[in-house]
Amino acid sequence: MMTFQFKIQIKGITKPPVWRTIKVNSNITFREFHAIIQLAFGWTFSHLYLFSEKGYASQFQIQDKEFADDEYSESVDANQTRLKSIFKKKNQTYTYIYDFGDSWEHKITLEKITDENLLHPICLTGKGKCPPEDCGGVWGYEELKDAINDRSHPEYEELRDWMGLEEGEKWDATAFDIDEVNKVLRKF
């Protein structure tokens, strides 16, 4: 049994960056990997996704076959394709795209391959709070970070209502709770 250790970082977000380092069983499917990424980042499984070597421009994509558009690329089923069939060597990279509207591109880097027997996925470390769903991609997230805690910003009240924040509650883009992430991953 092999275990893969990945660093997964959302591209385009830098202050603070948003990333997670996780360990997973190499025999899981890409559909299961999608679910683990969703849980590790705090996404809500609300949108389509795909994996590919070079993002949207790749001719070969891994996604749920029922939603694949084979007109523009060759697609294989995420429910049938295992990580070990794609990831072969340390430092290999891949792209995970979540939500084709907001277009959250994640860079996946295979950091380690071990023969560890892993019972469930584990988050080793991370940084940054996951952007809220449907906030408008990297550009919208940067705008949200500027407005959400600034009472003088014209969209302050609207954004706080949209995000369900209570009076006086702050939204912290640096927040990351590894214990909470691992609690959720243990249930996987």
Side-chain angles (χ1 to χ4, degrees):
M1 184 81 50
M2 285 190 307
T3 295
F4 288 158
Q5 178 178 312
F6 293 104
K7 180 174 181 181
I8 306 167
Q9 181 166 353
I10 301 176
K11 294 179 180 181
I13 299 175
T14 58
K15 295 178 182 177
V18 179
W19 58 269
R20 308 289 183 260
T21 299
I22 59 172
K23 282 185 176 181
V24 298
N25 183 307
S26 66
N27 200 41
I28 65 170
T29 66
F30 274 85
R31 174 69 174 109
E32 292 167 318
F33 193 36
H34 159 67
I36 290 166
I37 294 170
Q38 291 284 296
L39 295 170
F41 277 86
W43 294 119
T44 61
F45 298 88
S46 302
H47 302 280
L48 297 176
Y49 70 95
L50 66 82
F51 292 90
S52 65
E53 193 170 13
K54 297 177 180 146
Y56 288 114
S58 294
Q59 289 302 305
F60 176 78
Q61 299 177 349
I62 304 165
Q63 56 189 317
D64 284 343
K65 202 63 171 162
E66 64 188 281
F67 301 113
D69 184 355
D70 292 331
E71 181 179 344
Y72 300 105
S73 65
E74 176 189 350
S75 178
V76 296
D77 192 350
N79 292 298
Q80 304 297 319
T81 309
R82 304 208 173 271
L83 294 186
K84 66 183 181 183
S85 70
I86 299 294
F87 289 100
K88 303 292 185 186
K89 61 184 187 243
K90 183 179 170 186
N91 295 321
Q92 183 178 350
T93 62
Y94 228 68
T95 299
Y96 166 71
I97 301 172
Y98 173 63
D99 181 353
F100 301 156
D102 280 1
S103 193
W104 297 108
E105 289 193 45
H106 303 65
K107 179 182 180 183
I108 300 170
T109 304
L110 178 56
E111 293 185 322
K112 287 184 186 175
I113 302 171
T114 66
D115 59 0
E116 180 180 355
N117 188 11
L118 197 63
L119 299 176
H120 55 78
I122 299 169
C123 183
L124 301 175
T125 187
K127 188 169 186 177
K129 190 169 193 166
C130 186
E133 296 278 356
D134 300 320
C135 72
V138 171
W139 179 85
Y141 181 54
E142 293 302 324
E143 289 287 315
L144 180 138
K145 287 191 300 185
D146 288 342
I148 198 68
N149 295 317
D150 177 2
R151 289 182 176 276
S152 67
H153 195 284
E155 295 178 39
Y156 172 80
E157 289 294 335
E158 181 183 343
L159 286 171
R160 292 182 62 76
D161 285 346
W162 176 70
M163 291 181 61
L165 296 176
E166 300 292 326
E167 185 66 37
E169 183 180 0
K170 292 285 186 187
W171 194 82
D172 182 4
T174 66
F176 169 67
D177 186 342
I178 193 167
D179 294 330
E180 185 60 34
V181 170
N182 280 318
K183 180 180 172 185
V184 173
L185 288 175
R186 273 192 294 281
K187 295 176 184 176
F188 181 77

